[in-house]
Amino acid sequence: MNLDDLLFTTYGFASFRPGQREVIEAVLEGQDVIALLPTGMGKSLCYQLPAHQLRGSVVIVSPLLSLMQDQVSQLKKMGEKSVVAINSFMKSEDKAKVWKHLSSYRFIFISPEMLTQDFVKRQLQRIQVSLLVADEAHCISQWGFDFRPDYLRIAEVIPLLGHPQVLALTATATPKVTSEIKKYLAIENPFVYQHPMDRPNISYDVRKFKTQDEKTDWLVDFVTNFEGPGIVYAGTRKKSEHLAALLTEAGLAASYYHGGMEHQDRIFVQQQFQNGELQWVCSTNAFGMGVHIANIRHVIHFQMPTSVEGYVQEVGRAGRDGEPALATLLYADGDEALVESLLIDELPTEHEIYTVHKNGIQASSLVEQGIIRETAFRVISYWLNQLGVEGTLQQIGKMQSEKLKQAAKMRGLIVGGRCIRDYLLECFNQQTDRKPANCCSFEGVDYTVYRKRILKTTPDTLTSWEARIQALMPMKNG
Amino acid sequence: MLFDELVLTIMKAVNHQRTVSSPFHLIKGKKSGQTLQDIGYFHLYPYFSVLPRLEKAAYDQTVQRFYEQGLLVEGEENIHLTAKAMALQTPVPLLNGWKYRGNEAVFFQRLSLVIQTFSHVSQGIRIFDPVQTAEDIQSWVKSYLRAIRFREPSVYADFNAELITTFKAIQATDQQKLMLMQRLSGYGLSGMTWKQIAGVHGIQPIDAQLQTVEVLHGWLEVIEQQRPPLLSLLAEGLVQQSALTETAKRTKSLFENGHSLEEIAAIRRLKTSTIEDHFVELAMNEPAFDHSSFLTNEILKEIVAVSKAQKTKRLRDIKQKIPQASYFQIRLALAIKEEQQ
């Protein structure tokens, strides 16, 4: 069966998206593969489809619980039933059930810290693993914005599993990170697929202001004039709430989204955005994962992002349908200071380091209690293990200066006085010889290609519980 | 019932006798000996654990408001309500926290996934993003749907009818009922966040949360009375058979096998004070609890009489009047249900 037929009979898609075929072919030829595919290009298909040809299970290492849950639900939505997600927050009786039936799963999602446990390794040794996927492989880079220390230990599992093929997937990797992936996953001669980073349908707009208030005024004016859907990245939780309130006041269907909200509320905001009930979501960088909307027209950064990689990932959520989309970055004098303080907040604090050190093995329960942040915990325990307390403090210091360097690179995009597209591509060692007509604010942005706001008044008729039940569960004679 | 009314109701019940922060622990459902005992002493059963995720900052805001409105006397460790506060009427709550113990949230999670499924499937949509992401809820709902044969049109109509009939019978306001319905999702219709619901109804998010808990408790009550087949099955396993905590249950079974308090502490490797807590819990919850091995009827009567005469449930006050009684005996006596005394 050729690949197109396989794709159609398995998932009902008529054609591949750019890059998928190249990667899948290489996997099916038995090669190790590093695939750099932009966000929203259907990375998961690169292991999903081969799973139907390979013997045995596909093990996918996924860095965050929420991401893993989203991947599982997307797979199930596509009709895959033989899927399981293993993470340390599972109940032990559920885990026991999973171990018993491990070989029956086609897709096994696992967190890196589980993967490297001796017990888990033994369980995986019992079954045939045909493909080991390192998803979000840039997490392996200790200088990167998403460092997950346990990724460094994936390599030690590979020989135990009888050297399955390795597929490393990421949306954002500089050449430096790509070579780190090769090195730490110990893959010698991989097939590297690098999709052009450039997204020709996205135009880049940088707008400079004197004060924060000017920024706010501009934002309200802009969103009342242009049609969404759009995301406004606000920088902080508080700011996201504040901006959403302003937009709501201006009569727009807007809401906020951040990690401090109750889980159910977050799902509702995603639903509303997906259903078109919301035009604008003001959010922290927590929003994006689990949002599968192709027609996002605008991504607006109200604050300067902390790294070029993060910026590219967030901007990449716009215009997945290929239609024109606009990425707007708002900058006011002095924004660097805010970004720097945000960066430092993201890093493990001295207090967290000492707390984890003091609590030893029990420290993981501090994560569940919300005393230590999950990401900080991973980084701290890895370095404590490697370097001890003093070494960890030093290491975090080094990470801080590296992050400040990344912020400076981001600032370069704003003050560089040159084509933004060129600048971004250069950061990833790429270039393009075919610039789109509507490139960036340096070359001049044509706003007429973006639809003006359509004023709709959707009267909310669901003002009684009876009406709402009827809308949820319509009865023909009801 | 609004959040401030909830706090005021509890404060009235424990006025002068408990600290300003004690209602917080009760509302949050802290399982400490003190909180559990107070439920019995002061008849606070309805309010236990009604907002398990309540944040201290939100509670403190209410306390601050009470100070500013002249309801609560500032600068005292114990609650000291003013005459103005005592004169305020609070509504009779539909809450039954002690009975449902947060299980109303599980009921809601099941319900929302069931309704979302009905909503999509009845309109010809087979694939959607589940509004409940927890694996255990998803698999429970899957087997539930299979068991009730949800694809049959008659089952859909029956479910709809049960929903409307029981919902109508809840003693809550229509506005409250609407708030709960706004937390449900269906085809092309999303659930609303607490903030959004609060905005629509002109209240605070925390009030909206409390109002829906009230509706859920009221609803479970109706379901228990009317026993509609589909909804009863949906609530299966969620109503506590015994009000005891697991650990107190173990103590109870050892006691029934003839072990003394000290023996139980030794067997379970727990402090005797912990085992004493369990007995107080037993006294509070078990109508048939036999107190004779800890407490003679004379002392029991004496303690109850002093408590009533002095209008106090503070252990220290009672101990002063009856020095020969131990603190454990006083706690037991106060916990034993009035009808047994």
Side-chain angles (χ1 to χ4, degrees):
Chain A
M1 197 192 278
N2 74 26
L3 274 190
D4 290 288
D5 291 343
L6 182 66
L7 179 68
F8 189 75
T9 52
T10 315
Y11 295 117
F13 298 147
S15 65
F16 285 99
R17 307 182 69 173
Q20 288 175 336
R21 179 192 295 280
E22 291 85 337
V23 174
I24 292 169
E25 271 171 359
V27 170
L28 289 177
E29 279 164 19
Q31 301 189 62
D32 291 330
V33 179
I34 298 178
L36 308 164
L37 285 166
T39 319
M41 294 300 277
K43 273 184 292 163
S44 333
L45 196 84
C46 298
Y47 57 80
Q48 271 175 253
L49 204 58
H52 287 265
Q53 293 285 291
L54 300 168
R55 250 179 242 170
S57 308
V58 174
V59 172
I60 303 113
V61 186
S62 185
L64 279 175
L65 188 59
S66 46
L67 178 64
M68 201 186 290
Q69 283 167 344
D70 181 52
Q71 285 165 321
V72 170
S73 64
Q74 288 308 306
L75 242 66
K76 287 189 174 166
K77 211 173 151 183
M78 289 173 79
E80 296 287 358
K81 292 205 163 63
S82 182
V83 189
V84 69
I86 305 171
N87 58 66
S88 42
F89 297 106
M90 273 169 93
K91 290 183 207 137
S92 51
E93 64 258 36
D94 291 342
K95 268 191 233 173
K97 225 184 282 171
V98 169
W99 298 134
K100 208 168 144 201
H101 302 289
L102 196 60
S103 63
S104 70
Y105 296 108
R106 182 176 272 154
F107 300 99
I108 301 168
F109 286 85
I110 192 161
S111 59
E113 72 280 358
M114 285 286 285
L115 180 71
T116 49
Q117 284 173 18
D118 289 333
F119 175 76
V120 178
K121 283 192 265 190
R122 279 198 300 278
Q123 295 296 324
L124 287 169
Q125 274 178 300
R126 293 191 298 113
I127 66 165
Q128 188 186 358
V129 176
S130 52
L131 180 64
L132 182 69
V133 182
D135 199 12
E136 308 293 334
H138 62 273
C139 291
I140 213 165
S141 165
Q142 51 180 294
W143 306 118
F145 64 113
D146 272 348
F147 176 47
R148 286 296 305 264
D150 287 299
Y151 267 61
L152 295 172
R153 298 180 57 194
I154 295 177
E156 66 188 57
V157 181
I158 297 172
L160 296 176
L161 301 182
H163 294 277
Q165 284 175 251
V166 177
L167 168 62
L169 293 168
T170 176
T172 47
T174 57
K176 188 177 159 199
V177 175
T178 314
S179 71
E180 276 184 275
I181 293 173
K182 251 188 249 181
K183 182 174 154 200
Y184 290 115
L185 285 180
I187 38 182
E188 275 168 20
N189 264 319
F191 170 76
V192 180
Y193 178 82
Q194 171 140 41
H195 194 79
M197 294 295 300
D198 190 33
R199 297 276 308 275
N201 64 320
I202 299 181
S203 307
Y204 300 93
D205 194 6
V206 171
R207 299 194 148 255
K208 295 178 189 163
F209 302 90
K210 284 270 169 284
T211 65
Q212 298 295 322
D213 284 349
E214 281 181 24
K215 254 196 211 175
T216 313
D217 293 345
W218 181 89
L219 177 71
V220 173
D221 184 62
F222 184 83
V223 296
T224 42
N225 278 301
F226 286 93
E227 180 76 0
I231 305 175
V232 181
Y233 283 106
T236 63
R237 290 175 178 183
K238 212 170 147 191
K239 197 78 196 170
S240 72
E241 293 191 15
H242 174 68
L243 292 179
L246 282 179
L247 266 50
T248 311
E249 227 169 86
L252 292 144
S255 188
Y256 60 87
Y257 184 102
H258 57 66
M261 289 161 76
E262 181 186 319
H263 183 65
Q264 187 72 77
D265 275 358
R266 276 187 275 164
I267 289 183
F268 287 156
V269 174
Q270 288 184 8
Q271 272 188 346
Q272 292 169 9
F273 200 46
Q274 226 132 358
N275 280 338
E277 293 160 294
L278 281 178
Q279 281 275 296
W280 298 92
V281 174
C282 306
S283 74
T284 61
N285 58 10
F287 190 67
M289 207 160 51
V291 179
H292 308 276
I293 305 171
N295 68 339
I296 293 174
R297 295 273 71 83
H298 296 278
V299 169
I300 299 174
H301 281 86
F302 194 81
Q303 297 292 354
M304 188 178 132
T306 52
S307 72
V308 173
E309 286 94 328
Y311 174 67
V312 166
Q313 202 162 64
E314 283 160 8
V315 162
R317 300 198 168 111
R320 289 185 187 174
D321 56 4
E323 297 297 313
L326 183 61
T328 310
L329 200 159
L330 310 182
Y331 171 86
D333 294 341
D335 275 0
E336 296 85 349
L338 184 100
V339 169
E340 283 172 18
S341 73
L342 272 181
L343 272 181
I344 291 164
D345 285 348
E346 278 172 16
L347 286 169
T349 62
E350 240 177 72
H351 175 73
E352 282 174 318
I353 294 171
Y354 284 121
T355 312
V356 173
H357 179 62
K358 253 201 328 255
N359 284 274
I361 297 170
Q362 266 105 55
S364 65
S365 69
L366 299 173
V367 176
E368 283 161 71
Q369 292 165 37
I371 297 169
I372 304 270
R373 296 166 295 172
E374 187 187 343
T375 45
F377 173 71
R378 310 267 173 249
V379 175
I380 296 169
S381 16
Y382 177 78
W383 290 120
L384 278 178
N385 201 14
Q386 300 280 316
L387 306 168
V389 182
E390 284 311 310
T392 304
L393 288 168
Q394 274 174 23
Q395 182 64 26
I396 303 301
K398 275 190 228 160
M399 284 172 77
Q400 183 174 324
S401 57
E402 181 66 25
K403 291 207 171 217
L404 291 177
K405 251 187 246 167
Q406 288 175 359
K409 210 161 144 195
M410 188 63 225
R411 187 170 184 274
L413 180 144
I414 296 164
V415 299
R418 48 180 294 213
C419 169
I420 296 165
R421 189 176 306 273
D422 282 345
Y423 185 89
L424 283 174
L425 288 173
E426 229 173 77
C427 290
F428 296 92
N429 253 20
Q430 293 190 8
Q431 50 192 357
T432 178
D433 42 8
R434 275 196 300 174
K435 271 197 205 173
N438 210 9
C439 178
C440 65
S441 48
F442 183 72
E443 325 250 344
V445 174
D446 171 14
Y447 296 96
T448 59
V449 298
Y450 306 108
R451 273 172 67 184
K452 290 281 183 190
R453 182 172 168 217
I454 312 155
L455 272 176
K456 310 173 260 226
T457 37
T458 38
D460 187 12
T461 49
L462 302 178
T463 48
S464 75
W465 63 263
E466 290 93 341
R468 201 152 163 111
I469 290 184
Q470 172 64 20
L472 291 164
M473 287 188 73
M475 289 297 291
K476 298 234 165 60
N477 311 313
Chain B
M1 176 175 253
L2 301 173
F3 182 68
D4 282 6
E5 292 171 333
L6 171 72
V7 176
L8 185 60
T9 307
I10 299 170
M11 283 188 168
K12 277 185 179 180
V14 300
N15 198 15
H16 298 300
Q17 310 203 44
R18 289 294 178 262
T19 62
V20 174
S21 64
S22 67
F24 170 74
H25 299 303
L26 177 73
I27 297 170
K28 215 171 148 62
K30 189 177 174 189
K31 289 197 178 99
S32 71
Q34 176 78 68
T35 303
L36 292 176
Q37 278 166 40
D38 283 357
I39 293 164
Y41 291 177
F42 301 106
H43 291 274
L44 300 171
Y45 298 96
Y47 317 109
F48 180 69
S49 194
V50 287
L51 294 172
R53 271 191 297 251
L54 178 63
E55 281 169 28
K56 190 66 168 45
Y59 178 79
D60 289 343
Q61 272 177 17
T62 290
V63 170
Q64 196 54 41
R65 219 171 7 249
F66 283 4
Y67 289 143
E68 284 159 14
Q69 294 168 351
L71 300 178
L72 194 59
V73 179
E74 248 177 293
E76 291 190 33
E77 198 192 328
N78 273 358
I79 294 164
H80 183 171
L81 292 173
T82 61
K84 184 181 170 193
M86 295 308 283
L88 283 178
Q89 292 295 314
T90 50
V92 179
L94 265 184
L95 296 167
N96 204 342
W98 185 251
K99 183 169 180 188
Y100 296 116
R101 301 276 176 96
N103 276 338
E104 73 280 349
V106 180
F107 178 73
F108 171 79
Q109 287 171 339
R110 291 175 180 177
L111 175 83
S112 71
L113 192 50
V114 167
I115 290 202
Q116 193 194 19
T117 310
F118 271 131
S119 184
H120 281 84
V121 172
S122 72
Q123 293 173 80
I125 314 291
R126 291 165 150 267
I127 295 168
F128 57 90
D129 288 313
V131 70
Q132 298 300 331
T133 52
E135 191 66 41
D136 50 348
I137 295 290
Q138 289 186 358
S139 58
W140 192 94
V141 167
K142 253 181 230 162
S143 36
Y144 171 82
L145 288 170
R146 229 175 296 138
I148 65 167
R149 305 154 78 92
F150 79 107
R151 282 184 197 279
E152 285 178 22
S154 67
V155 174
Y156 178 86
D158 289 347
F159 193 92
N160 188 288
E162 282 189 16
L163 195 64
I164 292 171
T165 316
T166 53
F167 218 65
K168 240 179 217 152
I170 308 171
Q171 295 291 313
T173 63
D174 281 335
Q175 195 192 26
Q176 267 182 291
K177 294 181 191 178
L178 174 60
M179 289 182 208
L180 182 69
M181 281 300 151
Q182 286 169 330
R183 293 292 285 178
L184 296 173
S185 320
Y187 173 56
L189 183 64
S190 311
M192 291 163 71
T193 66
W194 294 120
K195 179 96 180 169
Q196 291 168 334
I197 293 174
V200 169
H201 297 277
I203 50 176
Q204 293 300 310
I206 196 166
D207 295 323
Q209 288 176 35
L210 185 63
Q211 304 258 38
T212 58
V213 171
E214 230 179 337
V215 176
L216 284 168
H217 285 181
W219 197 6
L220 286 166
E221 191 71 48
V222 171
I223 291 171
E224 257 191 279
Q225 284 162 6
Q226 298 191 356
R227 299 241 135 258
L230 297 170
L231 287 177
S232 296
L233 192 58
L234 192 70
E236 198 184 55
L238 297 182
V239 179
Q240 289 273 359
Q241 293 309 311
S242 159
L244 291 180
T245 58
E246 284 305 314
T247 179
K249 266 187 217 162
R250 256 170 275 148
T251 291
K252 182 189 170 199
S253 84
L254 287 169
F255 185 61
E256 283 168 352
N257 285 328
H259 293 284
S260 70
L261 194 155
E262 289 74 20
E263 283 168 3
I264 296 170
I267 293 167
R268 299 200 55 196
R269 293 188 197 160
L270 292 170
K271 286 190 205 147
T272 47
S273 62
T274 307
I275 305 297
E276 286 177 3
D277 284 346
H278 296 165
F279 280 108
V280 174
E281 206 186 315
L282 282 170
M284 232 164 63
N285 290 291
E286 302 275 300
F289 176 70
D290 177 13
H291 58 266
S292 56
S293 44
F294 306 111
L295 185 72
T296 62
N297 274 330
E298 286 67 46
I299 298 185
L300 171 63
K301 280 195 184 119
E302 210 175 331
I303 296 170
V304 173
V306 169
S307 169
K308 277 203 179 126
Q310 309 275 318
K311 291 206 176 80
T312 184
K313 285 177 174 165
R314 289 176 71 169
L315 306 183
R316 215 183 316 147
D317 297 348
I318 298 172
K319 174 89 177 161
Q320 260 172 9
K321 299 274 172 198
I322 319 170
Q324 70 274 26
S326 72
Y327 277 112
F328 175 49
Q329 286 175 321
I330 300 171
R331 287 165 60 204
L332 265 187
L334 293 175
I336 290 168
K337 298 251 181 200
E338 275 163 38
E339 54 268 32
Q340 286 174 257
Q341 289 166 4

